[in-house]
Amino acid sequence: MISSAMTDAAILVPPPMTLPAPSSLLIPLQVLTFFAHLLLVNILLGSVLLAVLDRRSAATEEKNGVAFMPKILALAVNFGIAPFLFLQVLYGNYLYPGILLMAVWWMSIVMAVMLAYYGLYISDGAIRTSRRSAVLIPVALLLMGTAFLLTSASTLMERPDQWWRWFQEPYGLILNTGDATLLPRYLHIILASLAVGGLTMAWRAEWSLRCPGVDREKVLHRRRRGLTWFFHVSLAQIAAGLLFLFTLPGEARSMLTGGDLLFTAALLLALAGLAAALFLARRERLGPASLVTAGIILVMVCIRAMLREALLRPYHASPAASPSTALAMPHGQTAALTMFLICAVLIVPVLLWLARVVLRAFRNSPGTISPLGKEEN
Amino acid sequence: MEYPVWHFTGISSGLLIAVVSVLHVFIAQFAVGGGIHLVWTEYRARRQHMPELLLWLERHTRFFLLVTMVFGALSGVGIWFSISAVNPGATSFLIHNFVFFWAAEWLFFLLEVVSLLAYCSTCRLTREGSMPPETHRRIGLIYAAAGVISLVLINGIITFMLTPGQGPSSGDVWDAFFNPTFLPSLVFRLALSLMLAGMFALFTASRIRDEAVRRLAIRSGAQWIIFPFFLLLAGSAWYFAALPPDRQDAILRRTSDIHPFVKTYGWILPAVFLGGVLAFVKSDHLRRPLTVLILCAGLMLTGSFEWIRETGRRPWIVEGVIYSNGVSVAQAERAGSEGAASVSGWLRAFDDMTGAGSDTAPPAQVIRLNGSLTRGALLFAQQCNTCHGLGGPRIDILPLTARLTPEGLAAQLQGQGKRLEYMPPFAGSQADRDALVVYLKQAEASHRPGPIPGAEYFKPRTSPSAD
C-alpha cells in the first residue's frame, strides 16, 4: 500500500540505473559479504567493549593481549568495502541521498575509524597496562559512534519520507533521529557485539590453553566468563529484538509476525537458533554455540535485506518513480563477472596457504601460540 | 542533478575529494612500490648476509604497515565516502559499469591485508628460524603481486574517465577498461610507486644507528628513486602523447586553474631526482629533515600530477558522458529545453513548495524551507559547487562574476560550454539562469557592501517566493 507521504517522497527518489548483473546474484553477494563484515565488526566491537567493561577477563592487560584487535579491524574495514559496493549497485539511488543528508557525519566515520585503528596499535604497543586499558576507552567510544552513524545511514536510506528535512537543513548534519527504529536497531547491534565479544573471549581462553605453562584455572575461568557474557547479553537481546520489532512500520511488522510466510519463518528460525545457542552456552559447548550464533547472524542479515526491500518496494512501484537509466556499457559484463568469480576462487587457496604457513611458524616458535593472541616468552 | 547536494558553498566540494584523493594516492602508490621494495631488499640482505639490514627492514615493515594499512586503507575508504557524498551521479555511473572490476580489486586488497599482516608478524619468526626465509619471501611476493594487480584494476577505471576510448560507443566495458591511456598510465604509476618506496625507505633508514648499515640502506633507497625516475620520464611523455589533442591543449594552454600545477610538476620532477642523487652521494650526511623534504617533494609530485589529470579532463568526469559537475550529457540537453526541474526531482519538489513550478500542493511533511536555500542557491550547489567555491579558496566564483553585469553573466551562462569550453554547459532554462544570476549577484553583494548592481533587471522574471 502506498501512503500519501510515500507518494510525495517518491519525487525525491532518483531513477535507478540498470543492473550489470541479475539481482538474484548481486543480492546474495551483498548479503554474504555484509555477513562477514558484521561478524568481524561484532568480534572487534565486542572485544573492545569487554576489554573496557571486564578488563581482567578480557585479558587485554597481558602482553600482546590487544594484538588481535587491529588485525580484526583491518579485516573488518576490508570486508566493509564489498557490501558497500554491492549496496551502491543495488540501492544507490536510495543510499546516496541518505548519505548526503548526513554528509558531515558520514565523512567523520573515516576519521573515527582511523583514530580507533591507531588507538588499537598504541594500546598494543603500550608497556604500562593501565595506559593500555585507558587508550581502549576512547577507542570503544569511537567505534560505538561509528556503529551509530552507520546505523543512521542505513536507516535513512530506507526513509525517503524523511528526506524532506534536507530542505530545512542542507548542510549534511541530519541524523535519522526521527526514525523510531534507530535506537532499538543500534541497541540490537551493540548487544550482538557484546555477545560475540563474549564468545571471542572464550575462544581466546580456549586457544591459550594450548600454550605450555599457563594457569589453567585462570584460563578456564576466562572461558566460562566469556560464555556467561554471551548468555546474559543474548537474553537481553530478546528484549531489544522485541523493541525493534514493535517500532517497525506496521506493514513490515505484520510481515514478520505471520503476514508473510518467508519473513515469519526466518524470524522463527533466528529465535530457535537463539534458544539453541543459549542452551549450548549454558552447557559450555563453545564450538557449537559459536556456529549457531554465526547462523543466527546470517539469518538476521537476510531478514535485514528482505526488510529493506519491503520498505522500499512502494517507492519502486510509485507512479512518481522515474524509469531506470540504461547502463552505458552493458556488453562484457558477464566476462567481468567471470573474472571476479575466477579471482575469488583463486584467492582462497592463497589465503589458506598464508594461514597455514603463519600458524606453522607460530607453532614452531617456543612460547608463541597464535598470531591473533600470542603469548611470547 | 537527481540527488540532493551537500551544501557547503565556502569551498568547492571538489576540493574535498582532491585533498583526500591526493593523500590516498600518495600512500597507496607507496604501498604498491613498497611491497616490491620489501621483497627485493630482503632478498638482497639475505644473499649478502647482512643481518643488520634485515633488522632495519623489520622496523621498516612495521612502519610500512602502520602507514599503508591504517592511513592508506582508511583514506581509500575516504575517497569512496567523499565521492559518494559529493558527486553521487557520477559515482553511480562508474560503480554500475565497473562493479566487477572494483569487486576484483577488493579481493586483491583482501589479499594485500592478509599477506602484509602475515609478512609483518613473521619477520621476527623468520629471523629466529621458525619460518624458512624462502617462505617469508614468498609471502612478500604475494603481497607485492596483489598490490600491483590492484593498481592495474583501478588504473583501468581512472584512465577510462580521462580517455574513455571505444567504451561508450561500443557499449563494451572491456573497451572502456583497456582505453588509450591504460598502458602509459600504468607505466607512469608503477614508476612513481617505486620512487615513493625509495623516498619512504630514506625516511626510516636515516634513523639507523650503525653507520655502515645506514649508508647501505640510504644508498639502496636512493637507487629506488634514481632508476625509476627514467621510467617515470618515459611514462610521462608516453601518457601525454596518448592523450587526444584537445586534452593536450587543455593541459598546456589553460591558465589559472591548471598552470600552477603544470609548473610545479615541471620543477618538482627534477628536484625529486636530484634529491635521490644527493641522498646517494651524501649518504653519510643524510639526516631526517632532508628525507622529510624529499617526501614532501614526492607528495607535491603526486599531487600536481593528479591535479593536472583531473583538471585537464574538464569539462568532463567521463569524457562525452558526464560533465565535471555530475550532470550527464542527456540531462543537460533535456534541461536546456525543458528546464532544470525536468531532470531534478529535488528542484521539482522545491518548485512545488515555493510555487515557482507547477501548481502541485506542497507536501504535507514540509514545515518550512531553510531561509538561505533559494532556487538559485540550489542550482549553484547542483551545477557549480563541484569546482567553484563562494568566497573561499580554489576557484572562488565571486571575483569572476564581479567582472560581469547581470546581463553579461546571464549571457555567459547561456553560452557556457561553447565559449568557455572547459566548463560544462549550464543545464537549465532562461528562468533557471536568471535564478542563478540573482543568487550570485546577491552573494557578491553580501561579500562586498553596497547595492547589487543591476539585480532588479531580473526580478520581474524570477518568482519572488523562489528567490
Side-chain angles (χ1 to χ4, degrees), chain A residues 20-39:
Chain A
S23 58
S24 54
L25 179 90
L26 291 166
I27 290 173
L29 281 172
Q30 200 274 333
V31 164
L32 283 175
T33 50
F34 184 62
F35 163 65
H37 169 66
L38 200 58
L39 205 57

PDB file of all heavy atoms in Angstrom, chain A residues 20-39:
ATOM      1  N   PRO A  20      24.102  -4.332 -13.733  1.00  0.00           N
ATOM      2  CA  PRO A  20      25.029  -5.003 -14.659  1.00  0.00           C
ATOM      3  C   PRO A  20      24.944  -6.522 -14.592  1.00  0.00           C
ATOM      4  O   PRO A  20      25.557  -7.215 -15.398  1.00  0.00           O
ATOM      5  CB  PRO A  20      26.400  -4.521 -14.175  1.00  0.00           C
ATOM      6  CG  PRO A  20      26.199  -4.148 -12.747  1.00  0.00           C
ATOM      7  CD  PRO A  20      24.784  -3.731 -12.591  1.00  0.00           C
ATOM      8  N   ALA A  21      24.223  -7.038 -13.605  1.00  0.00           N
ATOM      9  CA  ALA A  21      24.045  -8.491 -13.458  1.00  0.00           C
ATOM     10  C   ALA A  21      22.702  -8.705 -12.776  1.00  0.00           C
ATOM     11  O   ALA A  21      22.157  -7.771 -12.184  1.00  0.00           O
ATOM     12  CB  ALA A  21      25.181  -9.079 -12.612  1.00  0.00           C
ATOM     13  N   PRO A  22      22.157  -9.928 -12.843  1.00  0.00           N
ATOM     14  CA  PRO A  22      20.852 -10.148 -12.208  1.00  0.00           C
ATOM     15  C   PRO A  22      20.907  -9.867 -10.700  1.00  0.00           C
ATOM     16  O   PRO A  22      21.903 -10.172 -10.048  1.00  0.00           O
ATOM     17  CB  PRO A  22      20.578 -11.635 -12.460  1.00  0.00           C
ATOM     18  CG  PRO A  22      21.525 -12.050 -13.509  1.00  0.00           C
ATOM     19  CD  PRO A  22      22.687 -11.137 -13.482  1.00  0.00           C
ATOM     20  N   SER A  23      19.815  -9.298 -10.183  1.00  0.00           N
ATOM     21  CA  SER A  23      19.788  -9.008  -8.747  1.00  0.00           C
ATOM     22  C   SER A  23      19.854 -10.302  -7.938  1.00  0.00           C
ATOM     23  O   SER A  23      20.304 -10.312  -6.795  1.00  0.00           O
ATOM     24  CB  SER A  23      18.550  -8.198  -8.376  1.00  0.00           C
ATOM     25  OG  SER A  23      17.400  -8.912  -8.750  1.00  0.00           O
ATOM     26  N   SER A  24      19.417 -11.404  -8.554  1.00  0.00           N
ATOM     27  CA  SER A  24      19.472 -12.692  -7.845  1.00  0.00           C
ATOM     28  C   SER A  24      20.916 -13.105  -7.568  1.00  0.00           C
ATOM     29  O   SER A  24      21.185 -13.960  -6.723  1.00  0.00           O
ATOM     30  CB  SER A  24      18.769 -13.779  -8.654  1.00  0.00           C
ATOM     31  OG  SER A  24      19.314 -13.809  -9.959  1.00  0.00           O
ATOM     32  N   LEU A  25      21.855 -12.507  -8.257  1.00  0.00           N
ATOM     33  CA  LEU A  25      23.270 -12.780  -7.997  1.00  0.00           C
ATOM     34  C   LEU A  25      23.867 -11.686  -7.096  1.00  0.00           C
ATOM     35  O   LEU A  25      24.631 -11.974  -6.167  1.00  0.00           O
ATOM     36  CB  LEU A  25      24.034 -12.820  -9.321  1.00  0.00           C
ATOM     37  CG  LEU A  25      25.522 -13.066  -9.162  1.00  0.00           C
ATOM     38  CD1 LEU A  25      25.807 -14.556  -9.203  1.00  0.00           C
ATOM     39  CD2 LEU A  25      26.312 -12.356 -10.244  1.00  0.00           C
ATOM     40  N   LEU A  26      23.472 -10.437  -7.369  1.00  0.00           N
ATOM     41  CA  LEU A  26      24.057  -9.323  -6.620  1.00  0.00           C
ATOM     42  C   LEU A  26      23.592  -9.314  -5.149  1.00  0.00           C
ATOM     43  O   LEU A  26      24.376  -9.004  -4.254  1.00  0.00           O
ATOM     44  CB  LEU A  26      23.698  -7.987  -7.293  1.00  0.00           C
ATOM     45  CG  LEU A  26      24.357  -7.751  -8.651  1.00  0.00           C
ATOM     46  CD1 LEU A  26      23.686  -6.601  -9.387  1.00  0.00           C
ATOM     47  CD2 LEU A  26      25.847  -7.464  -8.480  1.00  0.00           C
ATOM     48  N   ILE A  27      22.328  -9.664  -4.922  1.00  0.00           N
ATOM     49  CA  ILE A  27      21.813  -9.645  -3.542  1.00  0.00           C
ATOM     50  C   ILE A  27      22.558 -10.667  -2.667  1.00  0.00           C
ATOM     51  O   ILE A  27      23.038 -10.311  -1.585  1.00  0.00           O
ATOM     52  CB  ILE A  27      20.279  -9.842  -3.505  1.00  0.00           C
ATOM     53  CG1 ILE A  27      19.606  -8.582  -4.085  1.00  0.00           C
ATOM     54  CG2 ILE A  27      19.769 -10.092  -2.091  1.00  0.00           C
ATOM     55  CD1 ILE A  27      18.113  -8.680  -4.260  1.00  0.00           C
ATOM     56  N   PRO A  28      22.700 -11.944  -3.115  1.00  0.00           N
ATOM     57  CA  PRO A  28      23.486 -12.870  -2.273  1.00  0.00           C
ATOM     58  C   PRO A  28      24.922 -12.398  -2.034  1.00  0.00           C
ATOM     59  O   PRO A  28      25.461 -12.572  -0.944  1.00  0.00           O
ATOM     60  CB  PRO A  28      23.477 -14.172  -3.086  1.00  0.00           C
ATOM     61  CG  PRO A  28      22.292 -14.086  -3.940  1.00  0.00           C
ATOM     62  CD  PRO A  28      22.084 -12.645  -4.254  1.00  0.00           C
ATOM     63  N   LEU A  29      25.524 -11.784  -3.059  1.00  0.00           N
ATOM     64  CA  LEU A  29      26.892 -11.279  -2.860  1.00  0.00           C
ATOM     65  C   LEU A  29      26.902 -10.196  -1.780  1.00  0.00           C
ATOM     66  O   LEU A  29      27.782 -10.166  -0.914  1.00  0.00           O
ATOM     67  CB  LEU A  29      27.442 -10.688  -4.167  1.00  0.00           C
ATOM     68  CG  LEU A  29      27.960 -11.686  -5.204  1.00  0.00           C
ATOM     69  CD1 LEU A  29      28.290 -10.969  -6.513  1.00  0.00           C
ATOM     70  CD2 LEU A  29      29.185 -12.419  -4.686  1.00  0.00           C
ATOM     71  N   GLN A  30      25.891  -9.314  -1.826  1.00  0.00           N
ATOM     72  CA  GLN A  30      25.812  -8.236  -0.825  1.00  0.00           C
ATOM     73  C   GLN A  30      25.575  -8.840   0.552  1.00  0.00           C
ATOM     74  O   GLN A  30      26.232  -8.470   1.524  1.00  0.00           O
ATOM     75  CB  GLN A  30      24.662  -7.279  -1.213  1.00  0.00           C
ATOM     76  CG  GLN A  30      24.756  -5.907  -0.584  1.00  0.00           C
ATOM     77  CD  GLN A  30      24.134  -5.820   0.801  1.00  0.00           C
ATOM     78  OE1 GLN A  30      23.226  -6.581   1.109  1.00  0.00           O
ATOM     79  NE2 GLN A  30      24.626  -4.922   1.624  1.00  0.00           N
ATOM     80  N   VAL A  31      24.663  -9.797   0.625  1.00  0.00           N
ATOM     81  CA  VAL A  31      24.310 -10.388   1.929  1.00  0.00           C
ATOM     82  C   VAL A  31      25.503 -11.140   2.525  1.00  0.00           C
ATOM     83  O   VAL A  31      25.837 -10.968   3.704  1.00  0.00           O
ATOM     84  CB  VAL A  31      23.078 -11.324   1.757  1.00  0.00           C
ATOM     85  CG1 VAL A  31      22.915 -12.234   2.955  1.00  0.00           C
ATOM     86  CG2 VAL A  31      21.821 -10.492   1.549  1.00  0.00           C
ATOM     87  N   LEU A  32      26.168 -11.940   1.710  1.00  0.00           N
ATOM     88  CA  LEU A  32      27.269 -12.762   2.239  1.00  0.00           C
ATOM     89  C   LEU A  32      28.455 -11.906   2.691  1.00  0.00           C
ATOM     90  O   LEU A  32      29.051 -12.145   3.750  1.00  0.00           O
ATOM     91  CB  LEU A  32      27.736 -13.771   1.182  1.00  0.00           C
ATOM     92  CG  LEU A  32      26.811 -14.978   1.008  1.00  0.00           C
ATOM     93  CD1 LEU A  32      27.286 -15.849  -0.135  1.00  0.00           C
ATOM     94  CD2 LEU A  32      26.724 -15.797   2.300  1.00  0.00           C
ATOM     95  N   THR A  33      28.800 -10.908   1.886  1.00  0.00           N
ATOM     96  CA  THR A  33      29.944 -10.070   2.275  1.00  0.00           C
ATOM     97  C   THR A  33      29.577  -9.203   3.473  1.00  0.00           C
ATOM     98  O   THR A  33      30.421  -8.952   4.342  1.00  0.00           O
ATOM     99  CB  THR A  33      30.414  -9.183   1.098  1.00  0.00           C
ATOM    100  OG1 THR A  33      29.285  -8.518   0.540  1.00  0.00           O
ATOM    101  CG2 THR A  33      31.109  -9.993   0.034  1.00  0.00           C
ATOM    102  N   PHE A  34      28.309  -8.779   3.555  1.00  0.00           N
ATOM    103  CA  PHE A  34      27.902  -7.993   4.724  1.00  0.00           C
ATOM    104  C   PHE A  34      27.909  -8.872   5.974  1.00  0.00           C
ATOM    105  O   PHE A  34      28.283  -8.419   7.066  1.00  0.00           O
ATOM    106  CB  PHE A  34      26.507  -7.390   4.505  1.00  0.00           C
ATOM    107  CG  PHE A  34      26.082  -6.493   5.635  1.00  0.00           C
ATOM    108  CD1 PHE A  34      26.795  -5.341   5.934  1.00  0.00           C
ATOM    109  CD2 PHE A  34      24.971  -6.789   6.415  1.00  0.00           C
ATOM    110  CE1 PHE A  34      26.431  -4.521   6.996  1.00  0.00           C
ATOM    111  CE2 PHE A  34      24.593  -5.975   7.473  1.00  0.00           C
ATOM    112  CZ  PHE A  34      25.321  -4.838   7.754  1.00  0.00           C
ATOM    113  N   PHE A  35      27.540 -10.117   5.811  1.00  0.00           N
ATOM    114  CA  PHE A  35      27.587 -11.053   6.942  1.00  0.00           C
ATOM    115  C   PHE A  35      29.018 -11.160   7.489  1.00  0.00           C
ATOM    116  O   PHE A  35      29.246 -11.081   8.698  1.00  0.00           O
ATOM    117  CB  PHE A  35      27.066 -12.419   6.473  1.00  0.00           C
ATOM    118  CG  PHE A  35      27.409 -13.568   7.369  1.00  0.00           C
ATOM    119  CD1 PHE A  35      26.900 -13.639   8.660  1.00  0.00           C
ATOM    120  CD2 PHE A  35      28.258 -14.580   6.935  1.00  0.00           C
ATOM    121  CE1 PHE A  35      27.225 -14.704   9.499  1.00  0.00           C
ATOM    122  CE2 PHE A  35      28.590 -15.642   7.762  1.00  0.00           C
ATOM    123  CZ  PHE A  35      28.070 -15.707   9.051  1.00  0.00           C
ATOM    124  N   ALA A  36      29.976 -11.314   6.568  1.00  0.00           N
ATOM    125  CA  ALA A  36      31.377 -11.413   7.000  1.00  0.00           C
ATOM    126  C   ALA A  36      31.814 -10.126   7.699  1.00  0.00           C
ATOM    127  O   ALA A  36      32.486 -10.155   8.741  1.00  0.00           O
ATOM    128  CB  ALA A  36      32.270 -11.687   5.793  1.00  0.00           C
ATOM    129  N   HIS A  37      31.413  -8.990   7.125  1.00  0.00           N
ATOM    130  CA  HIS A  37      31.765  -7.693   7.720  1.00  0.00           C
ATOM    131  C   HIS A  37      31.171  -7.566   9.124  1.00  0.00           C
ATOM    132  O   HIS A  37      31.860  -7.198  10.075  1.00  0.00           O
ATOM    133  CB  HIS A  37      31.242  -6.571   6.813  1.00  0.00           C
ATOM    134  CG  HIS A  37      31.300  -5.206   7.410  1.00  0.00           C
ATOM    135  ND1 HIS A  37      32.492  -4.565   7.699  1.00  0.00           N
ATOM    136  CD2 HIS A  37      30.319  -4.349   7.789  1.00  0.00           C
ATOM    137  CE1 HIS A  37      32.229  -3.370   8.218  1.00  0.00           C
ATOM    138  NE2 HIS A  37      30.919  -3.218   8.290  1.00  0.00           N
ATOM    139  N   LEU A  38      29.895  -7.919   9.230  1.00  0.00           N
ATOM    140  CA  LEU A  38      29.207  -7.762  10.522  1.00  0.00           C
ATOM    141  C   LEU A  38      29.824  -8.669  11.582  1.00  0.00           C
ATOM    142  O   LEU A  38      29.985  -8.267  12.751  1.00  0.00           O
ATOM    143  CB  LEU A  38      27.717  -8.091  10.331  1.00  0.00           C
ATOM    144  CG  LEU A  38      26.770  -7.543  11.376  1.00  0.00           C
ATOM    145  CD1 LEU A  38      26.860  -6.037  11.455  1.00  0.00           C
ATOM    146  CD2 LEU A  38      25.336  -7.951  11.065  1.00  0.00           C
ATOM    147  N   LEU A  39      30.165  -9.872  11.173  1.00  0.00           N
ATOM    148  CA  LEU A  39      30.778 -10.815  12.114  1.00  0.00           C
ATOM    149  C   LEU A  39      32.092 -10.232  12.662  1.00  0.00           C
ATOM    150  O   LEU A  39      32.349 -10.261  13.877  1.00  0.00           O
ATOM    151  CB  LEU A  39      31.051 -12.125  11.367  1.00  0.00           C
ATOM    152  CG  LEU A  39      31.126 -13.398  12.196  1.00  0.00           C
ATOM    153  CD1 LEU A  39      29.854 -13.612  12.980  1.00  0.00           C
ATOM    154  CD2 LEU A  39      31.368 -14.597  11.281  1.00  0.00           C
TER     155      LEU A  39
END
